[in-house]
Amino acid sequence: MRKPLLLGIDAGTSVVKTVVFDEDGREIAVSRERVPVETTRPNWAEQDMDLVWSAVKKTVSRCLKGHGISASDIAGVGVAGQGDGCRLVDSHLRPVRKAVLWTDGRAGEIVRQWEQDGSALSSFHICGSAIFSGAPAAVLEWLRRNEPDSLARAAHFLFAKDWIKLKLTGRIITDPSDASRAPFDIRKRGYSPDLFEMLGLSSYFRLFPEISEASEVIGEVTREAARETGLRVGTPVTNGMIDVVACGVGVGAINHGQAYSIIGTTCFNGVIMDRVELKPVGVGMTLAYAFDEQTLRSMPSLAGTPNLDWFIDRFCPQEKEKAAKEKLDLYALLEDEVSRVPVGCEGIIYHPYINPGGERAPFVKPSAVAQFFGLSLRHSRWHLLRSVYEGVALSMVDCFDHIPVSVSNLMVCGGGAESPLWCQIVSDATGRAVSIPKGSEFGALGVSITTGLATGVYRDKGEAVKRTVSVGATFEPNMENHRKYQELSRLYRSLYRHVWDDWDLRAEILGRVTSGTRP
């Protein structure tokens, strides 16, 4: 008898990934398809929902046909997806309009109004998460004011993964982790009618889907979906999770106190908890986790690897050309130079707030910008580049220091985890061992694990993680370097507090509205 395979789909912001895993977590087939993010107006970020489904069809089909995998060997399908934003479908289950993504900023003024009248803080005490412009509540309020016809035509509100599940099974349902981004009561693990009313959105409570647990089988692949994807009719489909929770499961974080970071487009930092803990008040994100009554308290910084991409694009053209011409690893080439720069870059501090939206964790400041401090004539661009690596690491220290749970080990994934230099800097800066799990697609692995639990491939979550997750490399902190980074962390925080009002002044000069929560 052939061993069962598990298929995981991870619909990210710009790339849909489908991965087939064996029961030991090995990636048997991987396919990726880009989906355009449309920015037709300033601060807008939208996506064609039909193109997302098209990407799913292509990647699933390529995994099966391209690798000679029989659809009958797929024991189940799990789906993860980007969080927040807004996807509306009508009574015929067709999109009302294009999806508004989590990166969309059109509702910034609405968030500012909620901050000023106290609604944002009151909301936090119920849902445990700070409201930002890409959150469902803010987008719905923007639509209420600007596109009432869209809401009038809408029959259902969907999260990213739930649209895919609808196309696979014909069912509309979500899980607690995605639902946590709606007007949600984190303590009761369900929607909050009081919060809907507080934000003036009671009329739209009807749109939100039923909630069931992440590892439940919610339907089966329909005949139409089977024809379009190559999957077998009747293949079980599980509920799935928001991508950052799925990544947590995929790196093996299943117990209280386990921590992980995703160094990607954002730098997501979270700790699993057996209780609801909302400190510090007003910042960060609290999500219902994949298992039992656990929660994920997180500080998701707005920018991670884009800081590095920006610097390399602007200041390392010769190295990029050399790497391309000689077929060298660009990052290895650059990091060879960076490794010769001492810890602390001889006095340079970099704040990695390069995202146009400023920063959201461990403080909320839309006007925050990236900046170098401490330049002198002796500094080279390699000092600056190392300070970028260190700035992201010091941001991670700042984030974890704001989560009131002791953490001894840190699992790291995402693009940043591919850099041994960066991983060592993170280990030294945090003073914690940093473990890098084997594999590449941890969101897809996470929903494959919960699918394996639902379909009987694994007895329990402990067995599932033991079989599927393994560590590829571990970085132990150099405690002498850690002591240096502790001093640098003090300077890092002192600097952003001192320029807090200057960020606003800059925004005012540029004609931009800003607000925030002072740390």
Side-chain angles (χ1 to χ4, degrees):
M1 181 177 178
R2 299 171 74 171
K3 293 183 178 181
L5 301 176
L6 298 163
L7 188 144
I9 300 167
D10 185 357
T13 306
S14 57
V15 181
V16 170
K17 295 149 284 190
T18 295
V19 189
V20 177
F21 298 91
D22 69 12
E23 56 189 353
D24 294 318
R26 287 186 290 262
E27 297 174 4
I28 304 302
V30 181
S31 180
R32 301 175 180 89
E33 183 79 15
R34 296 195 68 83
V35 182
V37 175
E38 300 178 19
T39 54
T40 55
R41 300 187 192 182
N43 295 324
W44 284 36
E46 297 186 339
Q47 203 161 52
D48 187 315
M49 293 167 63
D50 287 328
L51 288 182
V52 173
W53 173 237
S54 178
V56 171
K57 291 188 292 185
K58 290 177 182 177
T59 55
V60 172
S61 179
R62 285 200 293 255
C63 277
L64 298 178
K65 292 181 179 178
H67 293 79
I69 296 171
S70 171
S72 61
D73 290 337
I74 303 296
V77 177
V79 189
Q82 59 175 298
D84 291 291
C86 176
R87 293 154 192 83
L88 301 174
V89 297
D90 60 22
S91 57
H92 301 291
L93 306 183
R94 294 291 305 141
V96 168
R97 66 179 320 283
K98 291 180 178 178
V100 179
L101 304 187
W102 68 274
T103 52
D104 193 279
R106 73 186 71 184
E109 176 61 20
I110 291 167
V111 174
R112 189 178 73 88
Q113 291 170 7
W114 283 344
E115 287 172 345
Q116 290 181 337
D117 67 20
S119 297
L121 184 58
S122 297
S123 168
F124 182 89
H125 288 294
I126 298 173
C127 69
S129 297
I131 295 177
F132 73 108
S133 57
V139 178
L140 282 174
E141 177 60 14
W142 187 92
L143 291 172
R144 187 187 70 80
R145 297 182 188 185
N146 296 277
E147 288 185 22
D149 289 347
S150 293
L151 289 173
R153 291 166 50 210
H156 305 280
F157 178 104
L158 302 176
F159 293 96
K161 74 177 191 316
D162 302 326
W163 164 245
I164 296 169
K165 290 180 337 203
L166 169 61
K167 299 298 288 184
L168 285 171
T169 69
R171 286 204 64 195
I172 293 177
I173 195 165
T174 196
D175 82 299
S177 68
D178 254 331
S180 301
R181 305 304 301 138
F184 188 83
D185 189 323
I186 190 63
R187 294 179 179 84
K188 296 179 180 178
R189 291 175 75 91
Y191 299 123
S192 170
D194 291 342
L195 191 46
F196 273 90
E197 183 176 356
M198 181 191 303
L199 298 175
L201 299 172
S202 293
S203 299
Y204 309 115
F205 185 91
R206 63 180 175 82
L207 299 176
F208 283 79
E210 173 191 347
I211 302 171
S212 71
E213 290 304 315
S215 59
E216 289 185 15
V217 173
I218 58 90
E220 298 177 341
V221 172
T222 64
R223 189 170 300 280
E224 181 179 0
R227 176 178 55 80
E228 293 185 299
T229 62
L231 290 165
R232 176 179 56 83
V233 175
T235 302
V237 178
T238 53
N239 206 5
M241 298 158 276
I242 190 173
D243 54 3
V244 291
V245 167
C247 277
V249 177
V251 300
I254 58 173
N255 297 315
H256 176 80
Q258 286 187 284
Y260 64 98
S261 291
I262 308 167
I263 308 178
T265 303
T266 62
C267 188
F268 183 93
N269 309 285
V271 181
I272 312 303
M273 295 187 178
D274 287 340
R275 63 177 188 273
V276 174
E277 176 58 77
L278 303 186
K279 295 178 182 177
V281 173
V283 296
M285 184 185 296
T286 310
L287 301 174
Y289 203 56
F291 304 112
D292 308 318
E293 297 299 310
Q294 292 176 324
T295 59
L296 174 66
R297 185 70 173 116
S298 65
M299 295 290 157
S301 173
L302 271 176
T305 54
N307 289 280
L308 190 62
D309 297 337
W310 164 79
F311 189 94
I312 293 172
D313 286 343
R314 301 312 194 274
F315 301 109
C316 303
Q318 294 174 332
E319 288 73 21
K320 289 180 69 175
E321 183 178 348
K322 179 179 179 180
K325 184 181 296 185
E326 300 179 20
K327 294 182 171 51
L328 301 173
D329 184 325
L330 173 62
Y331 295 99
L333 186 68
L334 297 173
E335 291 176 10
D336 181 59
E337 296 287 349
V338 168
S339 64
R340 302 174 194 180
V341 177
V343 169
C345 311
E346 298 188 90
I348 298 178
I349 293 288
Y350 175 72
H351 285 138
Y353 314 134
I354 205 164
N355 189 290
E359 187 54 290
R360 64 179 176 180
F363 56 82
V364 177
K365 190 65 172 175
S367 62
V369 290
Q371 55 204 13
F372 292 101
F373 169 86
L375 296 177
S376 73
L377 289 173
R378 68 174 286 102
H379 290 125
S380 69
R381 60 189 170 127
W382 306 122
H383 288 82
L384 295 175
L385 180 52
R386 182 178 178 107
S387 77
V388 173
Y389 284 96
E390 291 187 343
V392 174
L394 291 173
S395 170
M396 294 167 68
V397 172
D398 202 15
C399 285
F400 279 113
D401 283 353
H402 280 80
I403 302 176
V405 169
S406 177
V407 172
S408 59
N409 182 278
L410 182 61
M411 298 288 286
V412 174
C413 62
E418 297 176 14
S419 165
L421 172 73
W422 213 345
C423 292
Q424 188 61 59
I425 289 173
V426 170
S427 178
D428 291 349
T430 60
R432 299 175 174 98
V434 166
S435 297
I436 311 302
K438 292 181 180 178
S440 61
E441 297 297 343
F442 299 104
L445 178 57
V447 289
S448 292
I449 287 172
T450 51
T451 299
L453 288 168
T455 56
V457 175
Y458 310 118
R459 289 192 308 273
D460 53 49
K461 64 181 182 180
E463 185 213 5
V465 165
K466 185 175 181 180
R467 289 184 63 180
T468 60
V469 180
S470 58
V471 173
T474 298
F475 298 83
E476 296 291 341
N478 179 313
M479 296 313 292
E480 181 180 348
N481 289 346
H482 176 58
R483 286 186 285 273
K484 294 176 182 177
Y485 281 122
Q486 285 180 304
E487 292 300 310
L488 292 167
S489 290
R490 289 176 53 207
L491 179 58
Y492 177 96
R493 292 169 182 166
S494 177
L495 286 168
Y496 71 61
R497 291 183 180 118
H498 277 99
V499 299
W500 188 266
D501 294 331
D502 295 322
W503 281 336
D504 286 345
L505 177 59
R506 174 185 179 276
E508 182 182 326
I509 291 170
L510 293 174
R512 299 171 183 168
V513 175
T514 186
S515 58
T517 304
R518 184 181 288 274

